[in-house]
Amino acid sequence: MRSYQEIARRIAKIILSPESAIGFIDGVLSVPKDIGYLAFGFIDTDSRYQRESEKIRMLTAIKYGLLENHNFIKTIETVLDIFNKTVPEDKQNAIYGKIMASVAGRTITNSLIAAKLATIIAQRSSFLITLRGGLIGNTLLIGGMVERCIYTSERLQQYNPEIYNRLRTRDLDLLYFLVEPALKPFVDALKIRNTQGQVAFEKLLSMVENEINAK
């Protein structure tokens, strides 16, 4: 896990400028990472049956519209909603006050951040753009990306069961690997709360407030 200061800095950056997520999302298009996951999937025989079941779930979800933009928005909103529900009201006022002051405004802000992030991610997702490398290369990359999707979902289940379970009800956990680079600091913050307690969490939130006020 990153340091408190780095987590706070990234949270503040996303809140103030969702467009800054472009730099984080570019990692989603990593060809070596896709090939690495594909290779690991071949040697990971212990979980092969489970992963095949997950691939069927993914294909079914895609058939019924998983890759539509509103699902990216819902995935992001779900994570931000879980995060915001753990933030005391005075901290919410301090963190979001620079954008909108009212409670209703904060809710709207949450949706606007989610919508902007979703648009950026959808535009840059390898699922939604022309894949690279020709027919054979595309097959390898798609295979590697599917493996990455499944392994990332499994890691989320272990790292934050609450987020995983909320997303899993609508198969949105299968989209998480595409939004993880932008949302990881929020998930890391929740991990701090779960493992180190509310005092440590609020210390982190104060750092987020300081980062926002310094802009």
Side-chain angles (χ1 to χ4, degrees), residues 11-87:
I11 289 175
K13 192 170 185 179
I14 291 296
I15 289 174
L16 290 173
S17 178
E19 294 81 3
S20 66
I22 289 176
F24 304 143
I25 299 305
D26 280 341
V28 170
L29 304 180
S30 170
V31 173
K33 187 176 290 187
D34 287 334
I35 294 175
Y37 272 95
L38 183 63
F40 184 75
F42 276 120
I43 64 175
D44 182 15
T45 57
D46 292 342
S47 66
R48 184 162 293 168
Y49 177 78
Q50 179 184 350
R51 285 184 290 111
E52 288 301 319
S53 298
E54 289 293 274
K55 288 176 185 177
I56 293 171
R57 179 165 73 95
M58 170 179 264
L59 290 172
T60 302
I62 290 174
K63 178 181 178 181
Y64 288 100
L66 179 67
L67 298 180
E68 293 176 5
N69 198 53
H70 68 86
N71 285 322
F72 286 93
I73 295 174
K74 187 62 180 178
T75 302
I76 297 165
E77 282 184 338
T78 298
V79 176
L80 294 180
D81 181 60
I82 292 172
F83 173 79
N84 285 328
K85 282 183 177 178
T86 66
V87 178

Side-chain angles (χ1 to χ4, degrees), residues 100-120:
M100 291 184 178
S102 68
V103 173
R106 288 197 302 274
T107 302
I108 293 171
T109 300
N110 191 59
S111 297
L112 288 175
I113 292 171
K116 287 183 179 180
L117 286 176
T119 299
I120 292 165

